[in-house]
């Protein structure tokens, strides 16, 4: 009997991609993908206990007014559904500890980095990496090529190889606090996806659209159960979303969908708690 | 205590924003500054110990990996001089608001009335500019708009530093209600109207005076305890309800029109005759294929899409505010038009934005008249405003144009459009109707009220002058609006309200006034309205255009649940009164009635305008400049013209894919460089049915013949939609007019001709829409787009934007404009005539004469249906509209978009009668497409197009060159397509996308 796979998609206060992200989860075979208003979570009316996967979708939470996802990160650290009870951040940490999967896309990735869950994971959540303003100082919407690190523990990116997705952000430049943090991330294969040119990671604009160190487009944690990425996998689940579908042989199913399928598969295969 | 927190990028890290700014100082102002660094400054007034503020700053305001911060001290760093730019009191401070919310969360309590966080921005400059006296030029030329911001300079004195400065609105004013006597002389009345910015005409003032003498009005006032003289609340309410902006007086006027043929006739309302009349005729002709669900009587037009979903669309302009504050004006423009489809019927979810900008050329070099901003600054401010408004709202910006003409210096045009998807049914109700009834509560939802945008409606009906009020400027707040729309969609689906509308121009006066027409009255208590600060007069509360507000009608039995949901979702909702049926618009303040107007007078008491229109322009005549030697060089220069060249600078900075429905993006082709003709997207992710969004705009022909400009705009819009695969039987149109003042007067001597141009345009609209079977579903006009200072008057060219919506049953049938592969046959569909007046080619040569493109709508309507049938059969691999820059530009674009060469031969086109290659290549005749047939489908394609102007003119070619054989049989143009692409992309490559080392 396969395990249930229910997805909590956070929404509200500036998220923008919850509808298509939930749609992608359903197409990938999730039993349910519920769009949950952050206010209901914060008030304890909805709980992570009922879900196997948590998703922070793209958007501009709190307008990114204090820097991308900063105000929202602060909100998760300081909001407790019950007075004196665990904060929302502590709930997320507990969710990962008991085997839950977490996906953060774009603004959701910025949030995972700023609450310190990436790349260090739930055992040691502190911010050692950030996503700063793009090197060119501006928002850009463009498609990029990505290569997968096959040695990464990340459950989401298994077998993805090389593929294309759109980026749509102004603050996606991945910066490590120092050389030691960077080396640790590389050695532990916590950079599952890199911006690529001709199959190889690249620093060259616009192929690396934001000037990220290590050409990193994504980070995972040591368990591989958390993934944050700047590109939008939910924006390529079907052929006609691809920018060259009218001129190339693009498969009916978009490459982004495989990332969601991997996660659903991982939940189904996980041993019962 | 007041504290200052400075947050900046650490010295050992690159400051991308600062680097971009240093580059702009060079590009825009021609000054050199080696480095700029940007520091965010938070001024915090809060009753908490400094340790708490320090913990808050570290936790919420500063990124420990990238930034450092300082509290009540100068952030370390070396620089020569600095400027700090702060918003003036009362101007919307989005960052400050977010920081304030975070602080409240940090403290675990709401902020008190004397506590606030304000955000300002500090710029630190090193090594430059050479002359210290140029420092204010940098600040005022790029960083600070003195209308809404102020700045302070620090010039190296180590003993001092910026001090904390709290921008608090302090109005030492006791709210009051004044009354005005109207039994005055004509002159005195007009002065009263001018002094109060009512913008009422003498006839209107006299009609108002007469109303207040009406026995029923007197009786009503006596009953309500009002004096016989009108209150300022009543006069302001009438002035804004009757403004050109709200009542479209010129479109409703009775016009005596003398056309080019000299004959005179009367037109009884342009709107009724040519706009509504057109739609009625088209709908009748379409019979049961009519797609219209609701037109002209709500905030946006509604058409059928899927059994469960309707499409909603609206296009607006926000010109005057964008002239004063390009960023805030454009931002408010986009989030403002969002609320129109959102406030249609029971409320639509928004799925796309469009934007069309008209600017003076960015390299414009003249002396700037007072109060106008440099074209480059307007361009960048507007671009950024739409970026923030659209991107942060999560609505993709899918289609647009940037059009240049010197006379847009007088007023830039900012057209913003929004599409929504409306459920056909909400519970047991129809989604496109409103159901509010007497007794329903009037609830204001969203932000608080301040002096924002007071007199915006009347102001936008006036020419721009030196004393234009700063209060006309507002800054939108996408996040407050997003919270509000998230909440209202939940409330809609739970059936918690019966109707809603937008608070835009005219504020509550307009929204409540409009909704009250359905029930027959309203009773509004302004004392309950949530304010940003004290000291507003009741009329100001009524008229304020503070953004992010909707007026919602809530039945009494749903009210507790509605208010509870709002509270839970963090949205402000306040009951301000109730709808009534006693025929009176009643306003209370502080326990007293301050306005009581009969609804019939408020909405229908406006006297009609009587205007004269007289056509006064010579008939266009053909001219022939000498033929050039090198057509390849001419093509490169045509491709580099501002109206033709690549707009990737805008496209890349707008999120055009969010919501996941993207099918054809603004840029397409092998390397994402091709200019798509239209946007195609799927607003309902479970369905393959797609919406096509396109537009046409052609003001460059208007000086020669406004009618030709209108036909060209309409045909271009239709062509663009058809080129992308839209079914011509599904097209609907939106007409948006931006005109110079068409009412003649001492300062406007050619007003009668401008009105005649408007008449010609409306006639063209009627004729073209009838021929194509396109109903108009919504439109708007903006009528006073002039600048006047002393004797200097700059009037924009008459400008019609025609937006087209179409549908494709299956998105996979969409077609893009890039050549797909070598060896395919290239066709020119449509006929070319010697129509180069107003063309890019003639403009390049400095030739102002010539004949503009003519109208052949009946022929085009037949042609487009045949072409579409071939496309729907899958016979067409690429299709591109021929417009600005003519056939040559279209061929170049198709070729470099496909990264494919082409061998073209003009001789099959000889039958069209043009005997010169340059005229054939650069004429801008309407009704033409460059098409390739899918390999192997040529014969079937030609059969389908038999009897129509559709000629094979060559083949796509692997060589990577565009080679054109002329009418004489020799090669007249031979260029590398990548070189053509580079020429086309270079002019607006402001961010250096194409430069290897490019620093933005």
């Amino acid at each position: 009997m396969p395990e249930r796979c229910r997805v909590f998609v956070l929404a509200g206060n500036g998220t923008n991609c919850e509808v298509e992200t939930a749609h992608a989860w359903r197409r990938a075979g999730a039993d349910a993908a519920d769009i949950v208003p952050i206010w209901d979570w914060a008030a304890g009316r909805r709980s992570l206990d009922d879900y196997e996967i948590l998703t922070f979708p793209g958007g501009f939470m709190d307008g990114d007014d204090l820097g991308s996802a900063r105000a929202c990160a602060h909100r998760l650290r300081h909001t407790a559904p019950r007075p004196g009870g665990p904060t929302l951040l502590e709930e997320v940490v507990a969710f990962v500890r008991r085997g839950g999967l977490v996906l953060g896309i774009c603004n959701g990735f910025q949030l995972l980095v700023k609450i310190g869950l990436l790349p260090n994971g739930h055992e040691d959540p502190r911010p050692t990496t950030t996503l700063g303003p793009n090197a060119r100082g501006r928002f850009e919407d463009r498609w990029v090529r990505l290569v997968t690190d096959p040695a990464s523990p990340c459950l989401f990116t298994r077998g993805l190889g090389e593929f294309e997705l759109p980026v749509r952000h102004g603050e996606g430049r991945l910066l490590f606090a120092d050389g030691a943090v960077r080396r640790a991330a590389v050695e532990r294969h916590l950079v599952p996806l890199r911006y690529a040119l001709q199959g190889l990671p690249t620093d060259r604009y616009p192929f690396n659209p934001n000037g990220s160190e290590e050409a990193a487009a994504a980070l995972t944690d040591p368990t591989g159960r958390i993934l944050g990425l700047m590109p939008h996998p939910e924006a390529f689940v079907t052929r006609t979303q691809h920018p060259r579908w009218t001129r190339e042989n693009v498969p009916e199913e978009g490459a982004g969908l495989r990332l969601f399928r991997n996660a659903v598969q991982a939940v189904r295969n996980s041993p019962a708690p | 205590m007041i504290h200052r927190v400075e947050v900046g990028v650490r010295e050992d890290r690159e400051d991308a924003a600062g680097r971009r700014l240093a580059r702009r100082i060079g590009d825009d102002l021609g000054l050199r500054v080696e480095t700029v660094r940007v520091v965010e400054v938070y001024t915090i007034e809060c009753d908490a110990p400094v340790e708490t503020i320090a913990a808050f700053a570290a936790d919420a305001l500063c990124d420990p990996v990238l930034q450092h911060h300082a509290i009540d001290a100068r952030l370390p760093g070396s620089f020569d001089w600095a400027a700090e730019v702060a918003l003036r009191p009362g101007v919307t401070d989005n960052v400050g608001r977010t920081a304030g919310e975070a602080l409240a969360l940090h403290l675990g309590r709401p902020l008190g009335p004397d506590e606030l966080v304000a955000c300002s921005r500090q710029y630190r400059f090193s090594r430059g500019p050479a002359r210290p006296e140029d420092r204010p030029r940098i600040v005022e030329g790029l960083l600070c708009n003195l209308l809404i911001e102020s700045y302070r300079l620090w010039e190296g004195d180590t003993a001092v530093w910026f001090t904390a400065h709290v921008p608090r609105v302090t109005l030492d004013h006791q709210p009051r209600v004044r009354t005005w006597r109207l039994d005055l002389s004509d002159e005195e009345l007009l002065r009263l109207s001018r002094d109060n910015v009512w913008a009422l005409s003498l006839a209107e003032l006299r009609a108002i005076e007469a109303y207040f003498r009406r026995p029923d009005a007197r009786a009503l006032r006596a009953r309500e305890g009002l004096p016989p003289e009108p209150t300022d609340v009543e006069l302001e309410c009438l002035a804004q309800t009757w403004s050109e902006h709200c009542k479209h007086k010129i479109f409703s006027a009775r016009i005596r029109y003398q056309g080019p043929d000299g004959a005179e006739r009367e037109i009884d309302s342009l709107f009724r005759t040519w706009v509504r009349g057109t739609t009625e005729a088209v709908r009748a002709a379409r019979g049961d294929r009519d797609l219209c669900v609701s037109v002209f009587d709500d905030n946006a037009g509604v058409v059928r899409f899927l059994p469960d979903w309707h499409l909603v669309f609206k296009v607006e302009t926000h010109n005057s505010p964008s002239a004063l504050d390009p960023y805030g004006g454009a931002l408010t423009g986009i989030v403002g038009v969002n609320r129109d489809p959102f406030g249609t019927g029971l409320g639509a979810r928004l799925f796309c934005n469009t934007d069309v900008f008209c600017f003076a050329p960015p390299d414009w070099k003249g002396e700037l008249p007072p109060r106008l901003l440099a074209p480059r600054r307007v361009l960048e401010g507007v671009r950024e405003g739409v970026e923030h408004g659209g991107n942060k709202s999560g609505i993709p910006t899918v289609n647009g144009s940037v059009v240049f003409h010197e006379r847009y210096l007088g007023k830039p045009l900012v057209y913003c459009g929004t599409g929504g998807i409306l459920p056909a049914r909400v519970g047991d109700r129809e989604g496109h109707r409103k159901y509010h009834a007497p007794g329903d509560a009037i609830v204001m939802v969203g932000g608080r009220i301040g002096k924002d945008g007071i007199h915006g409606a009347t102001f936008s009906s006036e020419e721009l002058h030196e004393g234009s009020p700063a209060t006309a400027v507002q800054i939108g707040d996408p996040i407050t609006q997003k919270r509000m729309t998230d909440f209202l969609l939940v409330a809609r689906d739970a059936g918690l309200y019966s109707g809603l509308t937008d608070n835009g121009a005219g504020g509550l006066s307009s929204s409540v006034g409009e909704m009250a027409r359905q029930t027959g009255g309203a009773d509004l208590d302004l004392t309950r309205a949530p304010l940003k600060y004290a000291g507003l007069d009741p009329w100001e509360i009524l008229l304020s255009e503070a953004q992010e507000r909707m007026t919602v009608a809530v039945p009494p039995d749903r009210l507790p649940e509605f208010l509870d949901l709002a509270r839970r979702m963090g949205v402000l909702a306040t009951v301000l009164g109730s709808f009534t049926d006693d025929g009176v618009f009643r306003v209370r303040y502080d326990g007293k009635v301050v306005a009581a107007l009969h609804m019939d007078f408020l909405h229908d008491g406006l006297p009609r305008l009587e205007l004269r229109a007289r056509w006064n322009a010579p008939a266009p005549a053909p001219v022939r400049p000498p033929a050039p030697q090198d057509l390849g060089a001419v093509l490169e220069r045509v491709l580099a013209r501002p109206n033709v060249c690549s707009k990737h600078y805008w496209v890349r900075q707008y999120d055009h894919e969010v919501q996941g429905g993207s099918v054809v993006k603004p840029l397409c082709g092998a390397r994402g460089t091709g200019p798509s003709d239209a946007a195609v997207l799927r607003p309902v992710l479970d369905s393959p049915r797609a919406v096509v969004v396109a537009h046409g705009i052609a003001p460059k022909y208007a000086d020669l013949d406004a009618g030709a400009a209108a036909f060209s705009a309409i045909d271009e819009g239709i062509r663009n939609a058809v080129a992308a695969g839209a079914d011509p039987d599904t097209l609907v149109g939106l007409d948006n007019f931006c005109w110079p003042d068409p009412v003649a007067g001492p300062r406007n001597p050619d007003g009668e001709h401008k009105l005649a141009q408007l008449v010609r345009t409306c006639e063209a609209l009627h004729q073209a829409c009838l021929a194509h079977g396109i109903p108009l579903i919504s439109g708007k006009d903006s009528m006073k787009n002039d600048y006047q200072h002393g004797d200097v008057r700059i009037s924009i060219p008459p400008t019609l934007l025609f937006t087209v919506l179409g549908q494709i049953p299956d998105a996979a049938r969409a077609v893009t404009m890039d050549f797909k592969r070598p060896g395919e046959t290239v066709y020119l569909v449509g006929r070319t005539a010697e129509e180069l007046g107003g063309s890019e080619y003639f403009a390049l040569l400095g030739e102002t004469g010539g004949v503009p493109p003519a109208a052949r709508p009946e022929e085009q309507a037949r042609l487009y249906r045949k072409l579409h049938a071939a496309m729907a059969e899958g016979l067409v691999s690429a299709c591109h509209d021929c417009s600005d820059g003519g056939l040559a530009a279209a061929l170049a674009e198709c070729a470099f978009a496909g990264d494919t060469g082409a061998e073209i031969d003009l001789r099959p086109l000889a039958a069209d009668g043009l005997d010169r290659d340059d005229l054939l290549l650069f004429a801008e005749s309407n009704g033409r497409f460059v098409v390739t047939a899918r390999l192997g489908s040529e014969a079937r394609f030609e059969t389908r197009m038999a009897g129509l102007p559709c000629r094979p003119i060559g083949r796509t070619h692997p060589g990577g060159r565009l080679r054109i054989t002329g009418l004489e049989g020799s090669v007249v143009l031979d260029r590398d397509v990548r070189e053509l692409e580079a020429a086309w992309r270079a002019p607006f490559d402001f961010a250096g996308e194409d430069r290897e080392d490019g620093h933005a």
Side-chain angles (χ1 to χ4, degrees), chain B residues 179-249:
Chain B
T179 54
W180 295 99
R181 298 182 59 132
L182 298 182
D183 51 345
L184 304 168
S185 72
D186 291 358
E187 229 163 83
E188 288 168 319
L189 263 186
L190 282 170
R191 185 171 329 114
L192 193 64
S193 168
R194 217 172 23 245
D195 290 349
N196 289 289
V197 205
W198 293 336
L200 289 166
S201 71
L202 188 60
E204 290 159 358
L205 288 159
R206 289 288 175 218
I208 292 171
E209 188 209 350
Y211 166 75
F212 283 96
R213 281 192 271 106
R214 251 165 57 177
D216 60 337
R218 291 195 168 222
L220 172 67
R221 307 185 73 69
R223 268 202 315 278
E224 303 290 341
L226 279 164
E229 301 83 26
T231 65
D232 54 4
V233 182
E234 291 169 320
L235 288 169
E236 293 282 353
C237 177
L238 283 163
Q240 93 75 31
T241 305
W242 289 9
S243 67
E244 176 59 46
H245 186 92
C246 296
K247 280 288 184 213
H248 310 285
K249 293 184 272 201

Side-chain angles (χ1 to χ4, degrees), chain B residues 441-446 484 487-492 494-500 550-575:
Chain B
I442 300 169
V443 185
M444 189 183 94
V445 176
M484 174 179 78
F487 154 66
L488 285 171
L489 288 177
V490 173
R492 176 193 75 184
L496 299 185
Y497 60 79
S498 51
L500 82 171
M550 302 288 288
T551 292
V552 185
V554 183
D557 60 331
R558 314 313 306 268
L559 194 56
E561 201 180 334
F562 182 88
L563 296 175
D564 183 53
L565 182 68
R567 193 183 44 72
R568 273 165 44 193
M569 294 186 73
V571 173
L572 191 63
T574 315
V575 179

Side-chain angles (χ1 to χ4, degrees), chain A residues 93-158:
Chain A
V93 168
F95 177 77
V96 179
R97 186 171 295 128
R98 64 175 182 266
L101 270 60
V102 182
L103 174 63
I105 302 165
C106 195
N107 199 219
F109 179 25
Q110 292 162 339
L111 181 63
L112 289 173
V113 162
K114 300 205 177 176
I115 58 179
L117 217 49
L118 286 176
N120 301 314
H122 66 283
E123 304 284 1
D124 181 23
R126 72 199 150 85
T128 56
T129 304
T130 197
L131 291 156
N134 295 353
R136 300 224 165 191
R138 62 178 202 149
F139 180 99
E140 283 195 18
D141 177 337
R142 64 169 70 248
W143 281 62
V144 294
R145 296 198 80 85
L146 300 164
V147 286
T148 307
D149 177 356
S152 171
C154 184
L155 299 173
F156 295 81
T157 56
R158 284 182 182 164

Side-chain angles (χ1 to χ4, degrees), chain A residues 13 65 78 130 136 141 173 246, chain B residues 59 63 98 483 816 992 998:
Chain A
N13 210 26
D65 284 330
H78 290 271
T130 197
R136 300 224 165 191
D141 177 337
R173 185 183 202 179
T246 60
Chain B
D59 195 3
D63 183 322
T98 300
R483 286 181 183 164
T816 55

Side-chain angles (χ1 to χ4, degrees), chain A residues 11-20 23 27 37 39-40 45 60-67 70-71 74-79 114 127-143 166-168 173 175-178 204-206 213 232 234-235 238-248, chain B residues 10 13-14 16 19-20 42 56 58-66 94-95 97-99 101-102 105-106 387 391-394 479 482-483 486 568-570 649 652-660 662-663 665 669-670 682 685-686 811-814 816 818-821 897-898 991-993 995-1000:
Chain A
N13 210 26
T15 61
N16 289 333
C17 302
E18 60 269 22
V19 172
E20 65 267 37
H23 178 79
R27 285 201 52 176
W39 314 107
D40 282 349
R45 279 187 298 271
F60 287 82
M61 282 185 273
D62 289 286
D64 279 358
D65 284 330
L66 310 181
R70 281 210 65 77
H74 179 263
R75 195 182 284 281
L76 297 197
R77 281 195 291 270
H78 290 271
T79 304
K114 300 205 177 176
T128 56
T129 304
T130 197
L131 291 156
N134 295 353
R136 300 224 165 191
R138 62 178 202 149
F139 180 99
E140 283 195 18
D141 177 337
R142 64 169 70 248
W143 281 62
V167 290
R168 311 191 306 248
R173 185 183 202 179
L175 300 166
F176 297 100
D178 53 46
R204 225 176 104 188
Y205 175 86
E213 290 181 17
H232 287 267
E234 81 286 3
T238 190
R239 185 173 81 103
T240 55
Q241 291 170 317
H242 189 273
R244 297 183 307 281
W245 70 269
T246 60
R247 58 180 298 119
E248 291 175 9
Chain B
R10 277 170 23 192
R13 296 277 193 184
E14 181 183 65
R19 198 173 67 168
R20 181 178 183 181
Y42 298 92
F56 167 68
D59 195 3
L61 304 179
C62 178
D63 183 322
V65 176
L66 185 63
N94 290 326
V95 179
R97 181 195 41 71
T98 300
E101 278 183 25
L105 195 61
H106 206 94
E387 175 196 326
N391 292 1
K392 289 193 174 184
S393 304
I479 294 311
K482 192 84 180 11
R483 286 181 183 164
D486 283 352
R568 273 165 44 193
M569 294 186 73
Y649 176 70
R652 288 279 168 240
Q653 295 185 78
Y654 294 153
D655 187 333
H656 46 261
E657 299 183 75
V658 61
Q659 299 194 14
S662 177
V663 176
K665 305 178 205 307
R682 292 184 303 121
L685 295 177
D686 291 323
R813 281 287 177 219
T816 55
D818 46 315
F819 284 157
K820 299 298 185 297
R821 56 189 63 77
E993 269 185 56
R995 287 192 288 273
E996 278 289 320
D997 66 327
H999 288 330

Side-chain angles (χ1 to χ4, degrees), chain B residues 62-238:
Chain B
C62 178
D63 183 322
V65 176
L66 185 63
Q67 295 170 314
H68 59 157
H69 68 286
I71 295 167
D72 296 326
R74 186 168 105 178
L75 189 70
S78 70
F79 46 95
D80 302 332
W81 64 284
E84 207 165 285
V85 178
L87 292 165
R88 291 188 187 274
V91 178
T92 304
D93 176 1
N94 290 326
V95 179
R97 181 195 41 71
T98 300
E101 278 183 25
L103 178 60
L105 195 61
H106 206 94
L107 299 171
R109 62 167 175 84
L111 297 187
D114 295 324
E115 294 179 317
L116 67 76
V117 183
C119 183
S120 47
R121 192 163 276 182
Q122 187 185 104
Y123 301 89
R124 300 172 162 198
F125 303 86
S126 303
R127 292 182 290 285
R131 302 182 313 162
E133 57 268 35
D134 282 333
R135 289 170 180 175
R137 253 187 80 202
I138 291 176
V139 180
E140 291 176 28
L142 274 184
L143 308 175
C144 176
N145 180 352
L146 289 168
L147 200 59
I148 54 164
E149 293 163 320
S150 61
Y151 72 94
R152 295 178 289 168
L153 285 183
W154 177 85
E155 309 209 60
D157 180 353
T158 50
V160 296
W161 186 238
F162 297 113
T163 50
H165 167 80
V166 183
R168 192 185 291 283
V169 178
T170 45
L171 293 174
D172 191 16
H173 177 79
Q174 200 55 42
R176 60 175 180 178
V177 177
R178 299 171 72 184
T179 54
W180 295 99
R181 298 182 59 132
L182 298 182
D183 51 345
L184 304 168
S185 72
D186 291 358
E187 229 163 83
E188 288 168 319
L189 263 186
L190 282 170
R191 185 171 329 114
L192 193 64
S193 168
R194 217 172 23 245
D195 290 349
N196 289 289
V197 205
W198 293 336
L200 289 166
S201 71
L202 188 60
E204 290 159 358
L205 288 159
R206 289 288 175 218
I208 292 171
E209 188 209 350
Y211 166 75
F212 283 96
R213 281 192 271 106
R214 251 165 57 177
D216 60 337
R218 291 195 168 222
L220 172 67
R221 307 185 73 69
R223 268 202 315 278
E224 303 290 341
L226 279 164
E229 301 83 26
T231 65
D232 54 4
V233 182
E234 291 169 320
L235 288 169
E236 293 282 353
C237 177
L238 283 163

Side-chain angles (χ1 to χ4, degrees), chain B residues 311-530:
Chain B
L311 288 179
V312 186
F313 219 93
K314 176 64 173 274
V315 180
E316 267 278 14
T317 50
H318 218 231
N319 307 334
S320 298
S322 301
L324 298 175
D325 175 29
Y327 172 80
L331 171 57
T332 309
I334 193 74
V335 297
V337 74
N338 286 168
R339 292 192 302 272
D340 279 323
F342 192 85
T344 296
L346 290 172
R349 183 173 62 75
L350 310 177
F351 72 90
C352 74
N353 284 335
T354 63
D355 61 89
V356 173
F357 308 139
C358 301
F359 298 135
D363 56 355
W364 191 84
K365 289 284 189 293
E367 172 105 359
L368 273 182
R371 201 88 197 231
L372 295 181
L373 297 173
R376 179 73 194 267
R377 187 170 182 190
V378 173
L379 176 153
E380 187 55 26
V382 168
R383 187 208 57 70
E384 194 180 10
V386 172
E387 175 196 326
H388 288 175
N391 292 1
K392 289 193 174 184
S393 304
I395 302 165
T397 301
V398 298
N399 183 249
S401 272
V402 193
V403 179
F404 295 93
H405 190 292
E406 292 220 333
R407 296 212 303 278
Y408 292 122
L409 183 69
K411 215 178 249 188
L413 305 184
V414 177
Y415 292 95
C416 294
T418 299
I421 194 96
L422 181 74
R425 305 200 69 81
V426 179
D428 55 358
R429 291 169 163 181
E430 290 185 300
H432 68 278
R433 292 186 199 282
K434 300 188 199 298
Y435 293 84
H436 54 288
D440 284 2
I442 300 169
V443 185
M444 189 183 94
V445 176
R448 292 174 172 271
I449 293 176
K451 289 202 175 203
D452 323 41
I454 284 175
H455 285 147
T458 44
F459 161 66
S460 71
S461 309
E462 285 207 318
E463 68 199 19
L464 199 56
H465 55 81
E466 238 182 321
S468 298
T471 52
V473 176
Q474 315 132 55
I475 295 181
D477 175 3
I479 294 311
T480 299
Q481 180 145 312
K482 192 84 180 11
R483 286 181 183 164
M484 174 179 78
T485 54
D486 283 352
F487 154 66
L488 285 171
L489 288 177
V490 173
R492 176 193 75 184
D493 294 339
L496 299 185
Y497 60 79
S498 51
L500 82 171
T501 200
D502 159 39
N503 272 297
L508 286 170
S509 150
S510 181
S511 65
V512 177
E514 274 301 314
M515 283 184 79
R517 295 176 86 162
Q518 177 160 325
T519 62
D523 193 322
L524 189 61
D525 185 354
L526 298 175
T527 327
R528 302 185 192 178

